[in-house]
Amino acid sequence: GQFQVGAGFSSAESFMLTANIAKENFLGRGQRIALNAMIGGVRQIFSLSFHDPYFFDTPWDFSINVYNQAVEYPDYSRRQAGGSVSWGYRFTDELLISLAYTLEHIEVDIRGTSIPLNIARPKGLTSSLRASASYDTRNNRLFPSSGTYTNFSVEYADDWMGSENRFVRLLGGNRLYVPLFWNIVFKTNTTLGYVTSLDGSPIPLYERFQVGGIFTVRGFERNSIGEELYVADHPDSNLRPFDLGGVKKLVFNAELEIPVFKEAGILGVAFFDAGNAWGDNEDFNPIDLRTSVGFGFRWHSPVGPLRFEWGFPLKPQPDEDSVVFEFTIGNSF
């Protein structure tokens, strides 16, 4: 068992306080039960989870998760509470097929603007089934240096399941890790997403894809890439952009991780990122991507992996910064 408390600061989260209590071998059966809490400037997360990777000593994977969380976006906040139950079957050590049921209630609070948005439903209930498959040949789940990770999922939410939000969401991704000379690792990540409504209504704001920032396309502000709607905070104020996200997305990342002080766990990184999110009335165009290059440093510290990265957008728009610096705790991909 373990008990952890911590505090941190990042450009994405501002401050954060964390607490975690977990048992990795619950009742001596190889099961994991954990209670987590995080309070930060952007997210507040409380969750209770249980995971049995070999249910009753079989290749079946079982997990259950209950959560309550709130996330702050530049133009709105989202609160959601619910839970999920997942069953999976491990055909081999690399191949896992799973089916998950999720029930959650979501509320959105738009700050400032008084103009009603037809996609900004104030609240809604999502009841969905998600089928997924993953194939994992990485040599290390935390710090891989070789192998691939491929995943694909289909999520379906409809009124016959009690869902107020009706949609189908497709997600797919591939990560590649290639060891080079002098312990340099070449890494790529490709993510595709598509969500469409089942009743012709616009996809709610809280079910759309958000692109931009250290976890997707570096060199751009968080969630700033995608469709925009110009709104006014007051009837006599000027129009300003409101980030809607998108219903289609493509993100590509390529990195070189270079050991600087191997014994201390300090790495240098050079990267190229590209991505975009397209709205309901915009066509998916894999050539129409926002791109950036950059560099950074990573430290596998005792408190976790730390990332310090500078991104430079290629062809920035007039209202965008020429360089964006971000730092956070966690791996890239």
Side-chain angles (χ1 to χ4, degrees):
Q2 64 180 10
F3 174 71
Q4 296 177 333
V5 293
F9 187 86
S10 77
S11 60
E13 287 283 355
S14 185
F15 76 94
M16 66 183 78
L17 302 173
T18 63
N20 167 273
I21 182 169
K23 182 67 175 177
E24 299 291 346
N25 189 21
F26 185 61
L27 299 180
R29 298 178 180 271
Q31 303 161 342
R32 184 180 193 272
I33 186 169
L35 177 65
N36 298 281
M38 189 191 82
I39 300 175
V42 173
R43 294 178 297 170
Q44 294 82 46
I45 300 175
F46 304 91
S47 68
L48 174 64
S49 62
F50 172 83
H51 180 218
D52 189 344
Y54 294 96
F55 191 63
F56 288 117
D57 294 327
T58 69
W60 288 94
D61 180 288
F62 173 75
S63 64
I64 185 170
N65 184 34
V66 180
Y67 54 85
N68 189 324
Q69 63 184 36
V71 182
E72 294 290 332
Y73 294 92
D75 292 310
Y76 64 93
S77 61
R78 183 185 71 188
R79 297 179 297 276
Q80 58 192 111
S84 64
V85 178
S86 174
W87 287 90
Y89 188 81
R90 195 174 300 278
F91 290 89
T92 67
D93 289 340
E94 297 83 17
L95 179 61
L96 175 67
I97 306 294
S98 63
L99 180 67
Y101 172 73
T102 299
L103 178 66
E104 62 180 4
H105 184 267
I106 308 174
E107 294 185 5
V108 170
D109 180 23
I110 298 178
R111 295 183 292 272
T113 178
S114 59
I115 297 178
L117 304 175
N118 60 353
I119 67 168
R121 303 176 193 173
K123 58 184 178 180
L125 182 71
T126 296
S127 175
S128 69
L129 283 172
R130 185 181 73 254
S132 61
S134 64
Y135 186 75
D136 192 349
T137 64
R138 293 173 295 178
N139 63 338
N140 188 302
R141 301 294 171 89
L142 294 178
F143 308 110
S145 60
S146 67
T148 62
Y149 176 76
T150 303
N151 65 289
F152 178 77
S153 67
V154 180
E155 185 178 6
Y156 175 81
D158 207 349
D159 54 1
W160 66 266
M161 303 167 60
S163 181
E164 297 174 348
N165 301 310
R166 303 179 60 201
F167 61 86
V168 174
R169 177 166 32 225
L170 307 177
L171 285 172
N174 177 263
R175 302 173 186 176
L176 173 67
Y177 307 87
V178 180
L180 304 178
F181 49 89
W182 298 332
N183 294 319
I184 297 174
V185 179
F186 174 66
K187 304 162 55 178
T188 66
N189 172 61
T190 305
T191 303
L192 283 162
Y194 175 68
V195 58
T196 183
S197 174
L198 292 174
D199 56 9
S201 60
I203 298 297
L205 190 63
Y206 47 79
E207 299 290 358
R208 298 165 75 91
F209 300 118
Q210 303 291 338
V211 176
I214 194 170
F215 300 111
T216 52
V217 181
R218 289 157 287 191
F220 298 90
E221 296 296 335
R222 185 171 63 100
N223 304 332
S224 63
I225 298 176
E227 184 181 12
E228 291 182 338
L229 177 67
Y230 284 85
V231 299
D233 293 333
H234 305 284
D236 56 349
S237 63
N238 295 327
L239 295 178
R240 65 172 180 85
F242 184 99
D243 295 319
L244 296 179
V247 298
K248 301 171 281 286
K249 78 167 180 177
L250 171 61
V251 173
F252 174 78
N253 313 101
E255 292 185 351
L256 280 176
E257 271 192 350
I258 306 167
V260 177
F261 299 106
K262 185 177 180 180
E263 293 77 9
I266 298 177
L267 306 171
V269 61
F271 63 83
F272 168 80
D273 289 349
N276 207 344
W278 295 270
D280 301 82
N281 300 317
E282 297 177 328
D283 294 330
F284 175 82
N285 185 355
I287 300 177
D288 180 24
L289 301 177
R290 305 301 309 278
T291 56
S292 66
V293 296
F295 67 93
F297 299 95
R298 293 172 185 167
W299 177 29
H300 297 167
S301 74
V303 299
L306 304 181
R307 298 172 57 190
F308 306 86
E309 296 171 4
W310 291 260
F312 302 85
L314 304 177
K315 299 181 180 179
Q317 296 179 356
D319 59 341
E320 293 177 335
D321 295 330
S322 59
V323 57
V324 175
F325 168 68
E326 295 179 289
F327 63 97
T328 188
I329 300 176
N331 289 330
S332 56
F333 56 86

